[in-house]
Amino acid sequence: DEEDVAADAQNDEFAKYFNCTATPKILVTTNKKSSLETRKLLDELTNVIPNSEYMKRGKVDMKNLVKEAVEREYTHILVLNEDMKKPNSIIVSHLPEGPTATFRLTSVKLKKQLKRHGNATNHKPEVILNNFKTRLGHSVGRMLGSLFDMDPQFRGRNVVTFHNQRDFIFLRRHRYIFKKNAKVGLQELGPRLTLKVAALSEGNIRHDRRGVRVVPQPQTHGR
């Protein structure tokens, strides 16, 4: 099974990003009427993800938004949705052909809500994908990883971690701090949030996505 997963990785939609033969370019937007709280989180997410650009949704429907994104050579579109004026889900769609993942969003804390938080630099971060062991988990982890340039600037000492545990994916961002006696510490930069896969489907976000790969029942982390 591990050999099958490795073979999948060599030939999947995201191999070019992990091989550094393509650079991701992310269009980030919201639902049509976004709240201030959602826009604050969106601002922090664009700070976490290099090469991401915010586009105000306005009254543009998704079909036209995706068409424009493809024409402008974006590789992904990320949509932050909300309910009762609070962000509650994230859709990540690979362009132009998919796949598309929908994540439920919980436990959101912005940078200012974290004690003794640091301030991030503009360096490209190191990305750690932890505990994505099953075939499903591997697919989800690679989709999240493909949002980032896999050629990190280590001098920035920034690291973004996606840790998968019992089908919950914890997003954290830290900076390495080098202390005396060769000790290394971590300073959290924010934001902090938890994702749970709701669906992973073929096609991009504008399609009806009938070819649903999974509405997760099996675990994504292995036993």
Side-chain angles (χ1 to χ4, degrees):
D1 187 53
E2 290 184 359
E3 291 181 358
D4 291 338
V5 170
D8 289 345
Q10 292 179 358
N11 301 292
D12 69 8
E13 306 91 335
F14 311 118
K16 58 188 176 182
Y17 306 111
F18 285 84
N19 295 336
C20 297
T21 57
T23 301
K25 180 182 176 184
I26 321 300
L27 176 63
V28 182
T29 191
T30 65
N31 52 301
K32 290 185 177 181
K33 294 183 179 180
S34 59
S35 66
L36 178 60
E37 190 169 346
T38 295
R39 292 194 297 272
K40 285 182 178 179
L41 176 58
L42 198 73
D43 183 61
E44 295 203 13
L45 287 175
T46 55
N47 185 258
V48 171
I49 305 172
N51 301 324
S52 61
E53 300 175 14
Y54 168 66
M55 179 182 290
K56 186 176 181 180
R57 178 74 177 275
K59 297 181 179 180
V60 180
D61 62 35
M62 187 54 64
K63 181 177 181 180
N64 289 329
L65 189 65
V66 170
K67 181 181 178 182
E68 182 176 353
V70 172
E71 289 173 350
R72 294 173 61 178
E73 299 184 337
Y74 286 96
T75 61
H76 303 67
I77 184 168
L78 185 153
V79 183
L80 181 59
N81 291 313
E82 65 177 53
D83 184 44
M84 303 294 290
K85 296 186 177 182
K86 291 187 177 182
N88 72 332
S89 70
I90 292 176
I91 300 174
V92 178
S93 185
H94 183 245
L95 300 177
E97 301 296 336
T100 297
T102 301
F103 300 91
R104 297 188 185 96
L105 176 62
T106 58
S107 305
V108 176
K109 283 194 174 183
L110 301 179
K111 180 176 70 173
K112 291 184 178 180
Q113 296 173 299
L114 301 173
K115 294 182 179 179
R116 296 183 293 278
H117 68 79
N119 294 311
T121 66
N122 292 325
H123 295 91
K124 291 183 289 186
E126 177 185 0
V127 177
I128 297 174
L129 303 171
N130 187 40
N131 208 33
F132 294 90
K133 294 182 178 179
T134 65
R135 175 167 281 180
L136 167 61
H138 196 70
S139 296
V140 172
R142 285 178 67 81
M143 170 170 269
L144 293 171
S146 73
L147 296 169
F148 294 82
D149 192 328
M150 288 297 169
D151 183 23
Q153 296 170 310
F154 291 107
R155 65 181 178 273
R157 297 177 285 124
N158 293 335
V159 57
V160 174
T161 302
F162 292 95
H163 174 70
N164 187 33
Q165 184 173 351
R166 298 186 181 276
D167 291 328
F168 290 94
I169 302 168
F170 302 93
L171 169 62
R172 302 289 187 267
R173 179 170 59 155
H174 296 88
R175 175 189 292 123
Y176 295 116
I177 297 177
F178 296 99
K179 301 179 180 180
K180 294 181 180 179
N181 301 320
K183 292 183 178 180
V184 179
L186 290 174
Q187 181 182 36
E188 192 165 5
L189 304 177
R192 180 191 298 180
L193 52 87
T194 302
L195 303 170
K196 185 175 177 64
V197 182
L200 179 63
S201 56
E202 303 289 351
N204 67 43
I205 193 173
R206 73 177 180 178
H207 295 155
D208 61 10
R209 290 179 281 153
R210 292 176 184 171
V212 176
R213 291 186 182 178
V214 62
V215 177
Q217 298 296 331
Q219 295 178 332
T220 59
H221 62 286
R223 296 182 183 277

